[in-house]
Amino acid sequence: MNKDFLWGGAVAAHQLEGAWNEGNKGPSVVDVMTAGGQGKPRIITDEIEDGVFYPNHEAIDFYHRYKDDIKLFAEMGLKCFRTSIAWSRIYPKGIEEEPNEEGLQFYDDLFDELRKYNIEPVITITHFEMPLYLAKEYGGFRDRKVIDYFVKFAETVFKRYKNKVTYWMTFNEINNMMDYSNPIFLWTNVGVRVKDGENPKEIMYKSAHHVLLASALAVAKGKEINKNFKIGAMLSFVPIYPLTANPADIMLAEELIRKRYFFGDVQIRGCYPNYALKEFERENITIGIMPGDEEILQNGKVDYLGFSYYMSNTVSAEAKAPDADTVNIHGQLPFQVKNPYIKESDWGWAIDPIGLRYALNVLYDRYQIPLFIVENGFGAVDTLTEDGQILDDDRIAYLEAHIKEMKKAVEYDGVNLIGYTPWGIIDLVSFTTGEMKKRYGMIYVDRDNEGKGTMERKLKKSFHWYKQIIATNAEAL
Ligand code: BG6
C-alpha cells in the first residue's frame, strides 16, 4: 500500500459523544430514539420523555473523555480519525443567526488534539443528525428552507476549521433513505416522518432532491472557502448478487443495485440518471425541480466517494416478497435470499470479504474518482475472560480478510483508494439497534445495553493486531 495511505478508525458524534444537552447543544433527532435490539425496533418518541432510556444521551461520554481516547488512537498508530459534527451543537435549533461558540470550540479542541498526534481528521458534516427543531417545525428536508440551514451550518464549519480539516463528507450513508419503509432511516437521514395517506416514495424523493441540492451547494461553498478541501459523498454500499446465472436474476440484481447507486450517481455525475427520470415519469412522481437546480447539482460534484462496506446481499427472481418495493440497506431486501457460499454474523449480516474487492472495482469503474472505505467492521458480542481480556479473534479474522481483499483491489486491480477507517474503532452505541452489546471496537468500553457500567476503556486483542497492521502497512497480508 502507498505510504500515505490513511489507516484510521471511524465513529459518529451521536454514537459516542454523549453530553446531549451540555455546552448549549440542542436536542437532535437521535436524542428522541429509544434503544431497540432483540427484535425490538428503536422508537422515535417526538419529545424526550421522563423515565425512558435514550442510549445516545450519554453514549460513551467521548465529549468528556476524548483526550484519553485520542491518546489510545495515537498509541494504535492511527493516521486518520473519522468523526462527525453534531449539527445541534453548532446550531441548537438549526435556525439561529449566530452559531454556538461552545460547540465550535469543542471541535476546535478535538481537532487540535488529533493534530497533536498527527492524526488527520476526516469529517462527516452530518451523520444521521439534525436539530430536532428542524424536524418538528419544518418536517426536515421536506421543506426547501432546510437546505439553507444546512448550507449555513456547512459554511460555518468549513470557515472555522479550514486550516484543521481537509477531508470532508456531506451526508453519511445518504442512500439509507431509499429504505423509506423503515421510519428510522427517513428520520435520521432527512428528519422526515411520513403521514397517513402520503406516498412515502414521493416524500423520500422530494426530500432526497433537497438533500442533494444541500450537498451540492455545500461542496461549492467549501471549494470557495478552501480550494484544497477534498469533499466527498458517503454511500452505504451493499453489492447485490444474482443467486443464479438465470438472466432474470441478473437483471433483477441490476435493477435493485440502482437504488444503491442513485445518490452517488447524482453527487458524482451532477445530474439525475435516466433510470430515475424514467421511474419518476412512470410513477407520476414530482420531485420539485426548480429552475437553477440542475446547475446547482452540476456545480457541486464531489471529489471522492466515501463508502461503508459491511456485507453483500443476494437476490432471486423467484423469491419476491409481498409488497416489496423498497431497498433495505441493513436487512431484508425484496427477493433477498441467503447466499449459500457466505456465513452471517449474529445480526444476520453476510460476511463477504471478496465482496469488498468487488465493491471497490465496480465503484471505481463506474465513477473513476478516488474511493475511501470509511466504514467496515464486525458487530459482535464481546466476552471478557476471567482475567479481564477481550480476545476478539472473530473480529480480527473479519478485518484481516477484508484488508487482504482491499489490498488486491489496490495492488492488482489498480483502484485508487485513499484510506480505510474501520467502523467503531472504540465501542459505541449501535445505530440500527441502539444497543451497546453489538460491539465493533478495538477498544472496549464498559457499558451495557441499559446504560450501566463504569465507562472504563480496555484494549482488545484486535487493538494490538491493528497497530501491527498499520505499522507494517499491512505488508504481511
Ligand atoms: C452504518 C452507519 O450504517 O453502519 C453507522 O453509518 C452504524 O452509524 C454502522 O453504526 C453499523 O451499524 P449498526 O447498526 O451495527 O451500528
Side-chain angles (χ1 to χ4, degrees):
M1 306 294 286
N2 181 307
K3 65 173 179 24
D4 301 324
F5 188 73
L6 288 174
W7 295 102
V11 298
H14 66 99
Q15 289 171 268
L16 91 166
E17 285 178 6
W20 72 282
N21 59 358
E22 288 182 50
N24 294 324
K25 176 181 172 294
S28 86
V29 293
V30 275
D31 290 326
V32 293
M33 283 168 63
T34 66
Q38 271 111 31
K40 257 190 340 183
R42 298 188 78 174
I43 307 292
I44 302 159
T45 60
D46 268 348
E47 301 291 339
I48 290 155
E49 293 176 5
D50 289 343
V52 173
F53 174 58
Y54 296 99
N56 300 75
H57 283 194
E58 281 189 294
I60 62 155
D61 195 31
F62 182 74
Y63 185 80
H64 296 111
R65 296 166 192 251
Y66 71 89
K67 289 196 176 163
D68 290 340
D69 289 339
I70 291 174
K71 209 185 225 171
L72 296 177
F73 301 155
E75 191 185 323
M76 211 188 302
L78 297 196
K79 305 234 190 293
C80 75
F81 176 63
R82 172 181 179 232
T83 188
S84 62
I85 297 180
W87 186 345
S88 63
R89 268 195 207 293
I90 310 301
Y91 288 101
K93 284 181 159 177
I95 56 163
E96 293 82 353
E97 279 296 316
E98 295 300 324
N100 168 32
E101 179 55 31
E102 242 185 292
L104 287 170
Q105 191 58 49
F106 169 69
Y107 292 104
D108 258 319
D109 296 345
L110 177 70
F111 301 153
D112 289 344
E113 195 66 18
L114 290 166
R115 291 248 168 246
K116 182 167 124 191
Y117 297 102
N118 284 325
I119 300 175
E120 179 80 38
V122 174
I123 301 303
T124 319
I125 298 175
T126 185
H127 186 127
F128 297 160
E129 286 195 78
M130 74 160 55
L132 184 59
Y133 183 87
L134 291 183
K136 291 177 75 165
E137 297 301 314
Y138 291 81
F141 272 103
R142 277 172 187 269
D143 193 326
R144 230 180 135 97
K145 183 84 188 108
V146 173
I147 301 176
D148 300 341
Y149 293 132
F150 175 80
V151 176
K152 183 167 181 190
F153 163 50
E155 186 177 354
T156 303
V157 297
F158 283 147
K159 282 193 174 148
R160 178 78 171 219
Y161 309 122
K162 73 172 186 204
N163 298 319
K164 297 187 183 182
V165 177
T166 301
Y167 291 95
W168 301 89
M169 280 166 274
T170 51
F171 291 90
N172 182 63
E173 289 191 343
I174 188 168
N175 54 340
N176 267 7
M177 71 181 97
M178 211 34 114
D179 181 10
Y180 45 85
S181 67
N182 181 336
I184 78 165
F185 291 136
L186 271 184
W187 181 244
T188 51
N189 265 178
V190 278
V192 165
R193 302 192 77 169
V194 177
K195 300 178 194 130
D196 287 346
E198 284 184 329
N199 173 357
K201 191 190 238 185
E202 186 160 50
I203 301 291
M204 184 276 296
Y205 274 126
K206 276 185 195 268
S207 309
H209 180 56
H210 295 158
V211 167
L212 287 164
L213 290 171
S215 173
L217 286 164
V219 171
K221 190 54 88 185
K223 293 295 183 155
E224 274 171 29
I225 294 167
N226 183 345
K227 65 176 177 9
N228 296 322
F229 278 168
K230 307 269 179 246
I231 311 177
M234 179 354 182
L235 295 183
S236 163
F237 197 66
V238 183
I240 301 180
Y241 301 148
L243 180 67
T244 71
N246 178 349
D249 283 356
I250 311 272
M251 201 54 223
L252 174 67
E254 167 64 23
E255 276 194 41
L256 288 171
I257 197 68
R258 291 175 184 160
K259 304 273 180 192
R260 291 184 176 154
Y261 282 132
F262 168 76
F263 288 86
D265 286 353
V266 181
Q267 290 179 294
I268 296 164
R269 296 168 171 165
C271 57
Y272 281 101
N274 280 351
Y275 60 79
L277 297 175
K278 283 287 176 199
E279 182 182 8
F280 302 154
E281 192 183 301
R282 205 168 45 239
E283 299 185 23
N284 218 2
I285 288 174
T286 318
I287 62 165
I289 299 186
M290 310 272 279
D293 285 1
E294 279 158 358
E295 289 72 24
I296 292 174
L297 295 177
Q298 199 47 239
N299 294 332
K301 291 190 266 184
V302 292
D303 300 313
Y304 70 95
L305 173 61
F307 70 100
S308 63
Y309 176 84
Y310 291 92
M311 62 187 139
S312 56
N313 289 157
T314 302
V315 293
S316 158
E318 286 169 11
K320 186 175 186 336
D323 306 325
D325 187 31
T326 74
V327 175
N328 187 321
I329 305 294
H330 290 98
Q332 287 303 306
L333 186 72
F335 312 95
Q336 189 174 325
V337 291
K338 270 193 193 299
N339 186 326
Y341 302 97
I342 293 177
K343 291 207 183 90
E344 293 179 348
S345 77
D346 291 347
W347 276 266
W349 291 18
I351 302 169
D352 178 15
I354 296 177
L356 177 58
R357 178 176 173 198
Y358 173 77
L360 284 161
N361 275 283
V362 292
L363 289 171
Y364 193 55
D365 283 349
R366 189 175 185 102
Y367 296 128
Q368 296 285 304
I369 58 171
L371 303 179
F372 199 154
I373 304 168
V374 293
E375 287 185 33
N376 170 236
F378 187 63
V381 175
D382 284 326
T383 43
L384 274 68
T385 60
E386 272 184 10
D387 57 349
Q389 297 184 68
I390 300 116
L391 305 174
D392 52 342
D393 291 301
D394 286 351
R395 181 169 299 109
I396 294 174
Y398 176 100
L399 293 168
E400 188 166 294
H402 283 75
I403 292 174
K404 272 188 188 159
E405 295 300 327
M406 169 181 95
K407 277 190 72 180
K408 282 185 208 159
V410 173
E411 293 173 358
Y412 185 93
D413 304 322
V415 169
N416 180 355
L417 184 66
I418 302 171
Y420 175 72
T421 58
W423 175 250
I425 195 77
I426 180 167
D427 290 345
L428 37 63
V429 177
S430 155
F431 164 61
T432 48
T433 70
E435 293 169 297
M436 270 306 294
K437 78 168 193 188
K438 189 179 187 194
R439 295 174 185 272
Y440 288 85
M442 303 188 197
I443 301 167
Y444 182 85
V445 178
D446 180 21
R447 185 163 170 88
D448 68 13
N449 280 357
E450 284 76 46
K452 292 194 227 71
T454 61
M455 298 273 192
E456 189 200 344
R457 279 49 171 163
K458 274 173 188 287
L459 308 186
K460 301 185 194 178
K461 188 174 173 185
S462 53
F463 178 99
H464 305 287
W465 165 83
Y466 191 46
K467 180 176 178 173
Q468 194 57 22
I469 292 285
I470 298 175
T472 57
N473 216 2
E475 250 159 39
L477 297 189

